[in-house]
Amino acid sequence: MLVRDRPDGPPDLLLMERAATMAFAPGALVFPGGAVDAADLLLAEQMQISLPLDEAAARIAAVRETLEESGLGIAFPDDFPVEALATMRQAMVEGAAFADLLTARGVTLDLHALVPFARWHPAMIEGATRVFDTRFYLARAPQGQEAQEDATENVHLLWTSAAAILTRCDAGEGKVIFPTRRNLERLARFDSFVAIAAHAAAIPVEKVTPWMEERADGRHLCIPDHLGYPVTSELLRRASRH
């Protein structure tokens, strides 16, 4: 979740619209991200930093996928050339391994630049087509870089506040799935990256596994109420999950 502070209002977040041809959440507005692969795990082992192996690999995957999907380099050295990021992105499109590209340029990623925010791991409940164990991280939007969609997995990207995205989706001008909506509602409470990061640091990350609950007005999809989320249930008939 890339956060770009603004002097005259709440911070912008980077969201991208998934291509309508994608099997999961087609057309939805999502944060950049993707799956951890074997090369991420190998690179995490080689880096030997003070993080559990699975955590380090997840952060490496977040950095790699963000570069692939948006062209933005998070956790790179401040003086790393923007032109080199574009070259690396194109090389990955052509099949080059992220770890090899880092090694060739002598780059060491600062994985502590990613702040753990949440971890969602839904159960396979009624109506679900697939589930993911997803870790959400905060990162400052890098200065001097411009985001560009990859035109394959995502077809459009935008910078806007969490509240504005929710308003847009409520007006039928966009779609967010249940976890994204809950995270946006949580993010919308804060006015800067520092405030969001402080909030995240104060709440231990636990797996969020939604469940069904029958209430007077119908079936609700629910999450725990101690993990910082201002909204912890939604009518199932209104919740978008895929």
Side-chain angles (χ1 to χ4, degrees):
M1 298 189 290
L2 294 176
V3 182
R4 185 172 69 182
D5 283 333
R6 295 175 52 200
D8 57 350
D12 286 334
L13 305 170
L14 178 66
L15 287 105
M16 41 192 55
E17 181 181 337
R18 287 173 62 81
T21 55
M22 299 297 290
F24 179 75
L29 294 169
V30 299
F31 300 108
V36 176
D37 62 26
D40 298 326
L41 284 163
L42 180 60
L43 179 57
E45 288 180 336
Q46 295 170 345
M47 290 180 70
Q48 297 182 337
I49 60 174
S50 58
L51 289 170
L53 180 61
D54 63 333
E55 177 68 17
R59 297 190 192 195
I60 291 168
V63 173
R64 174 178 54 77
E65 290 281 352
T66 299
L67 180 58
E68 289 179 353
E69 294 187 357
S70 72
L72 297 178
I74 56 174
F76 280 78
D78 290 340
D79 60 353
F80 193 76
V82 173
E83 298 79 8
L85 288 171
T87 300
M88 290 180 68
R89 186 189 192 191
Q90 182 58 39
M92 286 192 288
V93 169
E94 296 169 359
F98 184 50
D100 292 343
L101 295 171
L102 293 174
T103 300
R105 294 183 175 273
V107 177
T108 299
L109 298 176
D110 177 14
L111 297 185
H112 294 288
L114 283 74
V115 178
F117 184 77
R119 184 173 180 179
W120 283 64
H121 193 184
M124 183 62 80
I125 56 179
E126 178 185 328
T129 56
R130 59 181 67 188
V131 298
F132 298 97
D133 181 357
T134 305
R135 305 181 197 217
F136 292 90
Y137 298 100
L138 299 168
R140 284 186 182 275
Q143 295 184 347
Q145 300 181 28
E146 294 294 331
Q148 290 185 324
E149 62 270 5
D150 63 12
T152 55
E153 291 189 15
N154 57 81
V155 296
H156 178 64
L157 57 80
L158 68 158
W159 289 99
T160 191
S161 70
I165 284 292
L166 292 169
T167 298
R168 172 176 175 162
C169 291
D170 289 343
E173 298 172 0
K175 167 188 171 183
V176 289
I177 61 174
F178 185 80
T180 308
R181 177 174 285 275
R182 301 289 83 87
N183 281 327
L184 287 168
E185 291 162 347
R186 188 175 167 191
L187 291 164
R189 301 162 63 197
F190 303 98
D191 61 2
S192 68
F193 174 83
V194 168
I196 299 171
H199 161 75
I203 299 177
V205 173
E206 299 177 15
K207 282 188 180 181
V208 181
T209 302
W211 68 90
M212 300 285 194
E213 192 172 296
E214 293 286 352
R215 299 185 180 178
D217 58 346
R219 301 183 79 187
H220 281 244
L221 192 58
C222 307
I223 61 173
D225 60 6
H226 66 285
L227 298 178
Y229 290 92
V231 179
T232 57
S233 71
E234 185 175 358
L235 279 166
L236 182 60
R237 65 176 181 267
R238 297 177 183 169
S240 177
R241 291 177 286 156
H242 50 78

